[in-house]
Amino acid sequence: MKDLNDILGMASRVQEELTKAQAGLDAIEVEGKSGGGLVTVRASAKGRIIGLSVDDSLIDVADKGVMEDLIVAAFNDARKKADEASGSEMAKLTAGLPLPPGFKLPF
């Protein structure tokens, strides 16, 4: 069995790796689309919105409600993809750790 210093050292290294992984998530970019690509949202895997693109054909006062719905849908699509990218990156980091079922990192 490992002594307490070994366990604390390992925990410290895991914490450092988690911190690095969290910082790296902001560099991963995902793209959400709606309306067949008429509205596109770019976001980081951390959920930060990077950009928004709206096709010129949607810019009409009469279509304002439709455009707003498409923007909401694109944001939601980007958020879903950001969550998936984040989960994938964190799974790589914790792959070798003996964590109990359902235990999620970071805390």
Side-chain angles (χ1 to χ4, degrees):
M1 183 171 178
K2 296 182 180 185
D3 69 11
L4 184 58
N5 287 332
D6 288 340
I7 293 171
L8 290 175
M10 187 167 78
S12 176
R13 287 188 297 278
V14 168
Q15 183 63 39
E16 289 172 13
E17 290 298 318
L18 284 172
T19 301
K20 287 179 192 175
Q22 284 290 323
L25 291 177
D26 205 43
I28 297 171
E29 192 173 306
V30 296
E31 192 172 84
K33 295 184 180 216
S34 68
L38 294 174
V39 175
T40 302
V41 173
R42 290 182 302 116
S44 75
K46 252 185 139 170
R48 182 175 59 88
I49 302 304
I50 298 166
L52 168 69
S53 173
V54 178
D55 188 272
D56 288 344
S57 68
L58 291 178
I59 304 187
D60 181 356
V61 175
D63 294 331
K64 183 176 185 250
V66 171
M67 186 172 78
E68 290 170 345
D69 290 343
L70 289 171
I71 290 171
V72 168
F75 271 106
N76 288 331
D77 186 40
R79 181 69 230 175
K80 177 181 165 237
K81 289 176 180 176
D83 289 342
E84 290 168 358
S86 177
S88 175
E89 288 298 308
M90 296 311 288
K92 290 177 195 174
L93 182 65
T94 60
L97 296 176
L99 299 174
F103 191 81
K104 298 205 179 220
L105 292 175
F107 304 103

